[in-house]
Amino acid sequence: MTQTDTSGDRTPVSGGSSAEPTGGARAWLVWGVAVGGYFLAMLHRNGLGVAALEAQSRFDVGPALLSLLPMLQLLVYVLLQVPAGLLADRLGPRYTLVMGMVAMAVGSCLFALAPGVEVAVAGRFLIGLGDALVFLNVIRLAALWFPRARYALVSGLTGVVGGTGQVASAAPLAWALGGVGWVAAFLATTGLTVLMALLVLLVVRDRPAGAAGRSTVADPISVWAALREALRADGPRIGMAHHAAVMAPFTMMMVLWGYPFLVGGLGLSEGTAALTLTGLAAGALWMAPVAGLLIGRRPGVRVYFALTLGGSLSLGWLLLVLWPDGAPVPLGIIVLAVSALGQTMAPTISFDFARDGIPASRTGVASGLVNMSGFTTAVVCTVAAGAVLQVLPDEPASYQWAFLPMALTTTLATCVLAVFIGRRTRN
């Protein structure tokens, strides 16, 4: 097996054909349908946010119990990343995507018709399970349908679609909840997901026609062998460290703490806070395809992007939590802006690193490990921030203590990233 050399140029690995897919219109169609499923997955993932108040009334639960629903869904997503990667390697992207769509459709239907919180929990569990199967397979289709030099661009565009879904999904669902009601709104998302599953089944294929010799189903190796293969390669380890460093901060803010921090920590009005958070998330999206194009042409720039983002975020979050008497508004906005940029560029860079040294037929496990590292960090730091805020008085400086775990994990992950990159360069 050969791996990426010190300059960042990629070389083929054993276990796959040296002939690369050529891409083309058919490849973009397959990816476009698959990434449409990812957009719907983001709609399902973030749908509870705009429905939180109605859910609290509908299920007669308090805020603490209600907050467990999105965290449970995210936790299921994290825990299933490696199993989802293994399933993708064994079954191929097409059928695994359909399974994910079906699981989300059933979960959404249960959530729409749930008579109580117990059934709602089961519905969100199934949505998290289906969500876990989608992104990895969209990324895997990019590896199987596009030439290696296009992989970073397609990964970046996948992140853009997901970010657009994250930003744009709230308004239609909020309108539907107000216009047609809870049951009809969530059954409508169920119907859309069923239609997307059928479209995936009809349009998506695991590999281009005539691609004999490029198997899309991995060789039958054991779970431990697949994990060892991914963890021994430099690329996946660098991708894991990078994803933990640059993807987790803004994910934590978008999932739960961004809006409260802007209002309670920086003193912005509620309307300004909502507009700021949405604007930061949307404003950073354009950088992912630009970075993807640059990486496709000059793979060595990945290292500079990775270390610059990791270093900037580490410095920014340390300043945010250590600033005397509470962080000023400009510093808080700048840190969130860089964090949004990091989250947007994470798929482009992290998953491109993850492919180094791994056959295309076994990218699922490596991608699953990379995704798991970022989301695990986000979940742990989100829970830790909530625990800190629970015991501290309600004042702006409390957020500095609450965000200390994120500052430390971002800095530690960046240090690990630098060590892995330096070790690969020396080798």
Side-chain angles (χ1 to χ4, degrees):
M1 177 181 294
T2 58
Q3 296 183 10
T4 304
D5 66 19
T6 57
S7 69
D9 295 330
R10 301 115 169 181
T11 53
V13 295
S14 61
S17 171
S18 59
E20 281 196 303
T22 58
R26 175 64 176 164
W28 285 110
L29 175 62
V30 168
W31 173 81
V33 171
V35 86
Y38 181 45
F39 184 95
L40 278 180
M42 295 300 292
L43 172 65
H44 285 292
R45 186 188 301 177
N46 296 286
L48 189 59
V50 295
L53 293 178
E54 187 170 346
Q56 187 174 340
S57 173
R58 183 178 184 86
F59 301 129
D60 192 24
V61 296
L65 183 56
L66 183 66
S67 67
L68 291 178
L69 287 175
M71 292 310 299
L72 169 67
Q73 183 179 328
L74 198 56
L75 184 61
V76 170
Y77 180 89
V78 169
L79 293 177
L80 289 179
Q81 283 306 292
V82 172
L86 288 167
L87 188 63
D89 286 344
R90 297 293 175 88
L91 293 183
R94 181 191 183 200
Y95 290 119
T96 312
L97 274 172
V98 171
M99 290 172 61
M101 294 286 108
V102 170
M104 286 192 295
V106 174
S108 180
C109 184
L110 285 177
F111 193 64
L113 303 176
V117 70
E118 296 83 3
V119 178
V121 168
R124 300 313 291 188
F125 175 87
L126 287 173
I127 290 172
L129 188 154
D131 187 11
L133 298 178
V134 174
F135 175 75
L136 294 181
N137 284 283
V138 179
I139 290 293
R140 196 159 182 274
L141 283 168
L144 294 165
W145 276 86
F146 292 91
R148 183 68 177 87
R150 292 275 184 88
Y151 184 72
L153 171 62
V154 181
S155 297
L157 290 173
T158 302
V160 169
V161 172
T164 303
Q166 188 177 41
V167 172
S169 61
L173 186 56
W175 174 85
L177 286 169
V180 299
W182 177 281
V183 174
F186 282 106
L187 285 182
T189 62
T190 301
L192 286 174
T193 309
V194 171
L195 290 176
M196 182 57 68
L198 293 174
L199 193 59
V200 168
L201 199 60
L202 290 173
V203 175
V204 172
R205 294 296 181 268
D206 287 342
R207 60 179 179 177
R214 276 203 314 275
S215 174
T216 62
V217 179
D219 300 332
I221 63 176
S222 69
V223 172
W224 294 114
L227 287 172
R228 284 196 301 270
E229 177 185 55
L231 292 173
R232 284 176 178 173
D234 289 333
R237 289 185 294 187
I238 294 173
M240 290 173 67
H242 183 262
H243 211 54
V246 308
M247 177 267 185
F250 200 67
T251 299
M252 178 186 76
M253 304 306 276
M254 286 298 290
V255 166
L256 195 57
W257 295 120
Y259 181 81
F261 168 65
L262 289 172
V263 175
L266 298 184
L268 302 183
S269 67
E270 293 183 355
T272 302
L275 184 62
T276 299
L277 202 59
T278 302
L280 290 175
L285 293 177
W286 66 275
M287 272 301 299
V290 172
L293 284 171
L294 290 174
I295 291 171
R297 294 175 181 176
R298 299 182 61 86
V301 303
R302 294 181 304 176
V303 170
Y304 301 106
F305 277 141
L307 293 177
T308 300
L309 280 172
S312 300
L313 282 169
S314 299
L315 177 61
W317 278 86
L318 288 172
L319 285 174
L320 189 67
V321 300
L322 296 176
W323 199 275
D325 301 322
V329 172
L331 175 63
I333 299 298
I334 290 172
V335 171
L336 285 185
V338 178
S339 299
L341 184 63
Q343 186 198 52
T344 298
M345 294 180 66
T348 307
I349 301 170
S350 302
F351 292 99
D352 195 71
F353 273 123
R355 281 205 59 188
D356 293 350
I358 301 293
S361 62
R362 288 200 292 270
T363 55
V365 173
S367 298
L369 287 170
V370 169
N371 217 24
M372 186 176 181
S373 70
F375 276 99
T376 299
T377 304
V379 169
V380 170
C381 291
T382 300
V383 173
V388 172
L389 290 171
Q390 183 73 29
V391 299
L392 291 181
D394 185 14
E395 57 185 38
S398 298
Y399 286 94
Q400 292 181 285
W401 291 104
F403 293 159
L404 183 59
M406 179 57 75
L408 294 177
T409 55
T410 299
T411 303
L412 178 60
T414 300
C415 291
V416 172
L417 171 68
V419 169
F420 284 159
I421 289 176
R423 183 181 299 170
R424 189 186 68 171
T425 302
R426 289 192 297 271
N427 293 337

